[in-house]
């Protein structure tokens, strides 16, 4: 039976069919839907959200070592977090087969950088596969598991945004029930102490030699002979773009197994074509290795190494042709920068922070990163997941050392706090800076589409579980001053900030209120009730001061004709932040 699947859905199906029994991930675009689509296979697969990518991979490693087939998935920057266990596990090898998906994001749609994680395979010396459509995405999970067990190594399956999110037909298969291999105690294999690791290092090089032979033989790398005036070496989604531009006017060496590269196959292909192009997205990963072998080819001098590749870019770069575009007048288009949602519980905090003087606000990865934008302008920095708390600590230490009275306030989401922020808070308690850490607990992982986390009380597969109490955790870490506030109550937020900033010790403020877009769980309903409603402006009372507009709520707009503010009834949820800001009480909640 065939089914139309995204690449992420196809990977999930491949995990099922490959007989994998343990899967873990931390949600991150463009990889998030992989675990969400594995979760329904409850009888066959244990699927878990982990607090971060390192924990996800380490959990999968543990399952592999005891003999189960295992899987971990993450976005490209997540592999940075998991790099430590990845490089060590590349030495030890596995027991049950294990696959790691790196979902890269050329074009930086929702990440903090653009990185080409094919380099990780070469760096860690582990085999890598690259699918170019959903069918291959499913099949390559099964291929990767076999390669993993055959060559005693973790395998990297490298995806990119267009493969993850685009759909194509997939032939479904049956699950291979393999059970679990026996586990035999073997510290010489699994303990990376120096004496053992030196021997493992030699075995890694021996494995690479075997993989070099495999890459020449595997059908994952194959020729497509057409006209030989142009020859193209490509992989992943770049192969699909190249086919769209050149069709049957060129021959192809399509690579699905891309580390190690099949250099003998590449030499044979290059010898039979007149002009050789290497078409790949982002970095010249293949091109550099091919040129290092003395093979003449054209690549990044014609194709940019920045952003997502597409057929138009290839056509313009290699053929100097451009398809005509539909002419349109863009002067009438309204700029729509991203903004916090109407009723977002983060808005009250950022509004109060924006009024504070002489503070630096270190932000983090999440939708609350939008606190950096107009009109709130509350956030100064965003570095990477979990960095806000430790960056705030370093900033505060340096400021205090130099006699500067500026204070550091760090903001971090609940899921991000569990990811790596709690380690940073531990550093603050231990090394004693007087930073103010604000944990924005919106009762879910908002930025990636509402995944559960250790603070929500539910697992990925819908089971009720122990809800980690953030205030108790912060006190256990060593923070004495911990306060929980409702972020929609501006006076509560203001008082908590003032108290914390007046302390000469580390403090934590937790803003606890559910994401406005979240489907409320039974626990949410018990705690927060049905609070949603609607606010309205009395146009006779409104003086047009625009103070409510400065909260950045997209439901509010200033009507130039009447010189008053109006509220969009569709967007408004009655959070009442604007009610509290209005100096003449012209805004009221209605329907109570």
């Amino acid at each position: 039976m065939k089914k139309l699947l995204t690449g992420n859905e196809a990977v999930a199906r491949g995990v099922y069919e490959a007989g994998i029994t343990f899967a873990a991930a931390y949600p991150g675009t463009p990889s998030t839907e992989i675990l969400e689509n594995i979760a329904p296979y409850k009888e066959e697969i244990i699927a878990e959200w982990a607090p971060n990518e390192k924990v996800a991979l380490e959990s999968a490693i543990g399952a592999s070592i005891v003999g189960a087939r295992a899987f971990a998935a993450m976005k490209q920057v997540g592999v940075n977090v998991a790099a430590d266990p990845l490089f060590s596990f590349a030495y030890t090898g596995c027991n049950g087969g294990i696959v790691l998906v790196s979902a890269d994001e050329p074009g930086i749609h929702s990440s903090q950088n653009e990185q080409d994680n094919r380099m990780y395979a070469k760096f860690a010396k582990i085999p890598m596969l690259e699918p170019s459509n959903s069918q291959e995405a499913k099949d390559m999970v099964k291929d990767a598991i076999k390669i993993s067990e055959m060559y005693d190594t973790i395998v990297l399956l490298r995806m990119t945004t267009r493969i993850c999110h685009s759909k194509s037909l997939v032939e479904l298969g049956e699950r291979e029930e393999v059970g679990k291999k026996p586990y035999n105690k073997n510290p010489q294999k699994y303990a990376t102490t120096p004496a053992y690791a030196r021997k493992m290092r030699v075995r890694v090089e021996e494995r690479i030699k075997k993989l070099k032979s495999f890459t020449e033989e595997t059908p994952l790398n194959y020729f497509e002979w057409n006209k030989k005036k142009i020859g193209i070496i490509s992989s992943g989604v770049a192969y699909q773009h190249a086919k769209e531009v050149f069709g049957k006017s060129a021959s192809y060496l399509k690579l699905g197994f891309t580390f190690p590269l099949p250099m003998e196959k590449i030499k044979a292909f290059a010898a039979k074509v007149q002009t050789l192009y290497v078409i790949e997205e982002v970095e010249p990963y293949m091109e550099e290795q091919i040129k290092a072998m003395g093979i003449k080819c054209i690549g990044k001098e014609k194709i940019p190494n920045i952003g997502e590749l597409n057929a138009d870019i290839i056509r313009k770069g290699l053929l100097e042709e451009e398809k005509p575009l539909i002419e349109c007048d863009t002067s009438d288009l309204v700029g729509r920068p991203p903004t916090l949602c109407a009723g977002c519980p983060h808005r009250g905090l950022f509004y109060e922070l924006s009024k504070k003087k002489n503070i630096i606000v270190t932000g983090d990865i999440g939708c609350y990163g939008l606190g950096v934008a107009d009109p709130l302008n509350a956030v100064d920095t965003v570095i990477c997941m979990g960095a806000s708390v430790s960056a705030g600590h370093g900033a505060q230490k340096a400021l205090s050392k130099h006699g500067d009275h500026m204070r550091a306030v760090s903001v971090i989401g609940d899921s991000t706090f569990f990811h790596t922020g709690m380690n940073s808070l531990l550093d603050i308690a231990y090394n004693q800076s007087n930073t103010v850490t604000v944990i924005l607990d919106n009762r879910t992982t908002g930025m990636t589409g509402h995944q559960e986390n250790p603070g929500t009380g539910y697992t990925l597969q819908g089971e009720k579980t122990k809800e980690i109490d953030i205030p108790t955790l912060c006190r256990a870490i060593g923070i004495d001053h911990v306060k929980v506030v409702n972020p929609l109550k501006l006076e509560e937020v203001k008082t908590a900030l003032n108290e914390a900033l007046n302390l000469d010790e580390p403090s934590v403020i937790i803003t606890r209120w559910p994401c406005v877009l979240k489907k409320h769980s039974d626990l949410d309903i018990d705690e927060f009730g049905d609070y949603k409603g609607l606010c309205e402006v009395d146009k006779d009372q409104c003086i047009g001061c625009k103070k409510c507009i400065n909260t950045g709520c997209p439901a509010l707009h200033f009507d130039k004709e009447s010189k008053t503010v109006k509220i969009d009834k569709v967007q408004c949820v009655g959070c009442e932040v604007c009610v509290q800001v209005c100096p003449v009480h012209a805004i009221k909640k209605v329907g109570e």
Side-chain angles (χ1 to χ4, degrees):
M1 182 180 73
K2 287 188 176 180
K3 199 169 180 182
L4 192 63
L5 299 177
T6 65
N8 283 346
E9 291 167 339
V11 167
R13 180 68 189 188
V15 168
Y16 167 77
E17 292 182 12
I20 287 169
T21 57
F22 182 88
Y26 182 80
T29 303
S31 69
T32 305
E33 299 84 4
I34 295 175
L35 256 285
E36 289 178 333
N37 282 283
I38 293 174
Y41 297 114
K42 292 181 182 179
E43 290 190 9
E44 298 88 0
I45 305 171
I46 300 164
E48 296 180 350
W49 291 130
N52 64 40
E53 296 84 356
K54 181 173 181 286
V55 173
L57 179 57
E58 288 165 345
S59 303
I61 287 171
S64 166
I65 288 173
V66 298
R69 287 185 171 178
F71 175 88
M74 52 202 66
K75 66 183 296 176
Q76 89 278 17
V77 291
V79 181
N80 302 336
V81 181
D84 196 7
L86 175 63
F87 277 71
S88 295
F89 193 53
Y91 271 37
T92 67
C94 60
N95 186 14
I98 179 169
V99 178
L100 168 64
V101 165
S102 170
D104 294 5
E105 198 187 30
I108 319 179
H109 300 286
S110 64
S111 301
Q112 63 267 44
N113 68 33
E114 180 182 75
Q115 63 185 56
D116 190 334
N117 278 8
R118 292 179 297 174
M119 306 298 182
Y120 266 115
K122 190 166 183 283
F123 193 10
K125 297 177 182 283
I126 57 174
M128 172 170 62
L129 280 70
E130 288 187 77
S132 64
N133 57 38
S134 297
Q135 180 72 57
E136 286 188 354
K138 189 206 78 165
D139 293 343
M140 282 188 181
V141 174
K142 299 161 75 175
D143 291 329
I145 280 290
K146 289 175 184 169
I147 293 167
S148 173
E149 292 179 348
M150 191 184 306
Y151 291 96
D152 190 17
T153 176
I154 186 170
V155 176
L156 184 70
L157 183 70
R158 192 253 188 173
M159 312 264 287
T160 56
T161 306
R162 292 304 133 192
I163 301 299
C164 292
H165 290 164
S166 59
K167 288 192 172 189
S168 58
L169 283 174
V170 176
E171 180 73 44
L172 303 186
E174 299 298 321
R175 178 173 168 85
E176 182 186 4
E177 290 293 356
V178 293
K180 184 183 85 61
K181 288 182 177 179
Y183 168 69
N184 298 309
K185 187 178 178 71
N186 188 357
Q188 288 88 347
K189 176 171 170 57
Y190 295 116
T192 54
T193 56
Y196 296 148
R198 290 188 199 103
K199 295 175 182 174
M200 294 173 191
R201 175 76 183 89
V202 175
R203 289 201 294 271
V204 168
E205 294 303 319
E206 291 170 349
R207 185 178 68 209
I208 286 291
K209 287 179 185 173
K210 293 175 184 172
L211 287 168
K212 284 180 178 176
S213 297
F214 175 81
T215 192
E216 302 291 350
E217 300 161 1
T218 175
L220 294 167
N221 299 327
Y222 58 88
F223 301 116
E224 283 181 25
W225 292 113
N226 298 300
K227 293 180 181 177
K228 296 182 179 177
K229 187 175 179 182
I230 294 174
I232 295 169
I233 298 175
S234 193
S235 66
V237 74
Y239 162 76
Q240 301 289 0
H241 296 321
K243 292 271 284 188
E244 185 178 337
V245 174
F246 290 95
K248 293 192 175 181
S249 67
S251 293
Y252 301 88
L253 173 51
K254 198 277 188 182
L255 300 181
F257 187 92
T258 49
F259 185 78
L261 286 175
M263 297 312 301
E264 295 305 317
K265 225 166 199 169
I266 289 170
K267 282 182 196 172
F269 183 73
K272 291 183 179 176
V273 298
Q274 201 171 321
T275 302
L276 179 62
Y277 294 135
V278 178
I279 299 178
E280 55 190 326
E281 201 167 44
V282 197
E283 298 300 330
Y285 164 78
M286 295 189 294
E287 180 187 336
E288 284 182 351
Q289 295 180 68
I290 291 168
K291 284 183 173 173
M293 292 291 289
I295 299 171
K296 189 178 177 183
C297 63
I298 298 169
K300 290 302 172 186
E301 61 266 52
K302 298 279 189 180
I303 297 173
N305 67 339
I306 297 174
E308 277 196 293
L309 199 58
N310 61 42
D312 289 338
I313 294 171
I314 295 171
R315 190 177 288 110
K316 184 178 179 182
L318 299 181
L319 302 179
E320 297 182 351
E321 295 176 359
E322 287 189 66
K323 276 192 169 181
L325 299 174
I326 299 171
E327 299 274 338
C328 67
D329 182 3
T330 59
S331 61
D332 290 337
L333 297 177
V334 178
R336 297 186 186 278
T339 184
L340 296 170
C341 302
C344 173
H346 306 327
R347 179 169 287 104
L349 170 76
F350 286 135
Y351 180 76
E352 287 301 324
L353 275 177
S354 69
K355 295 194 294 183
K356 295 291 177 194
K357 306 294 183 188
N358 207 30
I359 64 170
I360 175 173
V361 178
T362 54
D364 217 291
I365 302 295
C367 44
Y368 46 86
L370 295 171
V372 75
D374 282 332
L376 295 166
N377 291 314
V379 175
D380 292 78
T381 70
V382 178
I383 306 299
C384 68
M385 188 83 83
S388 64
V389 182
S390 35
H393 168 72
Q396 190 64 75
K397 280 281 189 175
L399 289 166
S400 301
K401 174 74 174 174
H402 292 280
D404 191 323
H405 297 297
M406 179 180 278
R407 293 293 302 277
V409 179
S410 305
V411 294
I412 187 168
D414 49 343
S415 182
T416 313
F417 176 68
F418 291 122
H419 181 275
T420 40
M422 52 195 283
N423 303 326
S424 304
L425 189 63
L426 189 65
D427 185 48
I428 285 174
Y430 177 61
N431 287 304
Q432 287 294 298
S433 59
N434 59 347
T435 59
V436 179
T437 301
V438 185
I439 302 171
L440 298 90
D441 181 5
N442 63 356
R443 315 303 302 134
T444 190
T445 310
M447 61 184 166
T448 46
H450 296 173
Q451 290 73 35
E452 307 295 349
N453 66 52
T456 64
Y458 295 89
T459 69
L460 166 62
Q461 293 183 309
E463 296 169 355
K464 274 195 173 181
T465 186
K466 179 75 176 177
E467 177 186 333
I468 302 304
D469 185 74
I470 296 176
T472 304
L473 179 59
C474 293
R475 292 187 184 98
I477 282 173
I479 307 298
D480 294 328
H481 186 86
V482 179
K483 190 148 193 173
V484 182
V485 299
N486 177 348
L488 302 183
K489 304 291 184 188
L490 297 184
E491 197 58 37
E492 266 189 49
V493 176
K494 181 179 175 181
T495 301
L497 283 172
N498 287 340
E499 282 179 6
L501 289 169
N502 285 328
L503 290 172
D504 189 21
E505 62 176 291
S507 61
V508 169
I509 299 169
I510 299 159
T511 62
R512 186 178 171 100
W513 198 260
C515 171
V516 68
L517 300 179
K518 186 187 178 192
K519 182 181 178 183
H520 288 180
S521 66
D522 292 342
L523 293 175
D524 292 331
I525 293 168
D526 289 345
E527 180 175 353
F528 303 103
D530 183 13
Y531 64 88
K532 292 185 180 177
L534 178 66
C535 291
E536 281 186 355
V537 180
D538 183 335
K539 64 180 182 181
D540 294 329
Q541 279 187 265
C542 178
I543 58 174
C545 67
K546 300 183 186 177
K547 285 194 174 179
C548 56
I549 297 288
N550 289 335
T551 64
C553 179
L556 302 167
H557 72 276
F558 185 73
D559 183 62
K560 290 180 181 176
E561 191 173 323
S562 65
K563 295 184 179 176
T564 61
V565 168
K566 293 187 176 178
I567 294 178
D568 182 349
K569 293 180 179 178
V570 175
Q571 293 192 68
C572 179
V573 296
C575 72
E576 297 184 76
V577 168
C578 57
V579 173
Q580 298 163 71
V581 169
C582 179
V584 294
H585 309 295
I587 307 175
K588 294 180 176 61
K589 192 166 184 177
V590 295
E592 292 180 300

